[in-house]
Amino acid sequence: MSMSGAPQEPRKDQGQAPLIEHLIELRSRLMKAVVVILVVFLGLYAFANDIYSFVAEPLMALLPEGSQMIATEVASPFLAPFKLTLVVAVFIAIPFVLHQAWAFVAPGLYDNEKALAIPILVSSIALFYAGAAFAYYVVFPLLFEFFTQTGPENVAVMTDINQYLNFVLKLFFAFGVAFEIPIATFLLILSGATTVESLSKKRPYIILGCFVVGMLLTPPDIISQSLLAIPMYLLYEVGLLFGRLVRRKAKADDAEEQEA
């Protein structure tokens, strides 16, 4: 009995050792990511009020001369810029954070998976930044102009700084995620979960889904919903285009292998 049970202990220890090593490495990379975020945050905190003024500029530019935002809570003048600066620090540190995640999972990937993962990772970061920039430079001016000009004439627009911050952060996140649609569509096609033909036939449902998502993620007005839904659909078409290109390349490679 003792001889039959003896080999089991080494196997158990061998199974635990790699797990502990992975957990230690994961903790190390998480700590590095947190440290970088904190360093960026500390470097930006001296400019917290300037950062908030920059984010508030699309609204302030449309308010009547002499108008200003208000703080309805005692701690809002401190907490709102603090919260925004922390979000900006995470936003800036995203490439490093994703690099740490990549370094953690890369040893378990095949060479062809690594070659595909790097462009996808880089394009995902770029698209998220592009979505946030689109929200700030295109959506915000149109949206705030609509809001400030449709109200009654005897109502003064005096936006709370904390409510404004929550509003714009929600839009930044919504547009950043929406701009990831080409990557998601491409991965679905590449993995074989669906095909270009199947997705092409579902265009009416996709259009409807884009407007439903726009309704859920943006304020209840047709302008902001359309400004999110239309780019989402166009990005969906971009994903289909890349899916077609990859499929053609795969067919060409198969044809060359058969000829060889």
Side-chain angles (χ1 to χ4, degrees):
M1 293 296 293
S2 60
M3 293 180 61
S4 61
Q8 294 179 2
E9 290 299 324
R11 284 201 295 268
K12 183 178 179 181
D13 294 339
Q14 291 172 1
Q16 289 179 345
L19 176 61
I20 294 174
E21 292 176 1
H22 288 316
L23 291 176
I24 292 174
E25 182 183 1
L26 178 61
R27 184 187 66 176
S28 174
R29 297 199 177 278
L30 287 175
M31 290 299 297
K32 290 179 181 178
V34 171
V35 168
V36 169
I37 291 173
L38 289 177
V39 169
V40 175
F41 171 76
L42 293 175
L44 293 176
Y45 185 69
F47 309 97
N49 291 335
D50 296 328
I51 295 172
Y52 191 94
S53 297
F54 174 77
V55 173
E57 179 59 27
L59 176 61
M60 297 302 298
L62 297 170
L63 294 179
E65 187 176 353
S67 298
Q68 60 185 4
M69 289 188 174
I70 62 172
T72 58
E73 298 178 2
V74 176
S76 291
F78 166 75
L79 291 179
F82 181 92
K83 178 181 177 181
L84 177 60
T85 305
L86 182 59
V87 172
V88 172
V90 175
F91 191 74
I92 293 175
I94 281 178
F96 180 82
V97 174
L98 292 180
H99 176 265
Q100 292 300 308
W102 163 254
F104 179 72
V105 302
L109 299 178
Y110 295 108
D111 291 338
N112 60 335
E113 292 175 335
K114 292 180 181 179
L116 184 62
I118 293 177
I120 290 176
L121 185 64
V122 173
S123 58
S124 297
I125 297 172
L127 285 171
F128 189 87
Y129 285 162
F134 180 81
Y136 181 83
Y137 289 105
V138 178
V139 178
F140 287 1
L142 296 174
L143 194 60
F144 296 146
E145 183 177 7
F146 172 77
F147 286 157
T148 55
Q149 293 183 359
T150 55
E153 294 182 359
N154 59 345
V155 174
V157 180
M158 301 178 67
T159 305
D160 176 69
I161 60 173
N162 199 45
Q163 295 296 326
Y164 175 81
L165 178 60
N166 292 336
F167 178 82
V168 297
L169 288 181
K170 180 180 178 181
L171 288 181
F172 276 135
F173 180 77
F175 278 88
V177 172
F179 271 57
E180 300 293 331
I181 287 178
I183 302 297
T185 305
F186 174 77
L187 289 177
L188 286 173
I189 296 172
L190 185 67
S191 64
T194 186
T195 62
V196 175
E197 291 77 10
S198 176
L199 291 176
S200 299
K201 293 178 182 178
K202 296 177 181 177
R203 277 192 177 93
Y205 304 102
I206 297 297
I207 295 174
L208 178 61
C210 289
F211 277 93
V212 170
V213 172
M215 177 184 66
L216 295 174
L217 296 181
T218 61
D221 65 277
I222 190 62
I223 294 179
S224 57
Q225 293 171 11
S226 299
L227 287 174
L228 179 59
I230 294 174
M232 285 176 63
Y233 173 71
L234 295 177
L235 291 168
Y236 167 77
E237 291 291 344
V238 172
L240 286 182
L241 175 62
F242 280 105
R244 290 190 181 94
L245 294 176
V246 170
R247 188 183 63 176
R248 290 175 184 174
K249 185 178 184 302
K251 288 182 177 180
D253 292 341
D254 291 341
E256 290 179 357
E257 290 179 359
Q258 291 177 0
E259 291 178 357

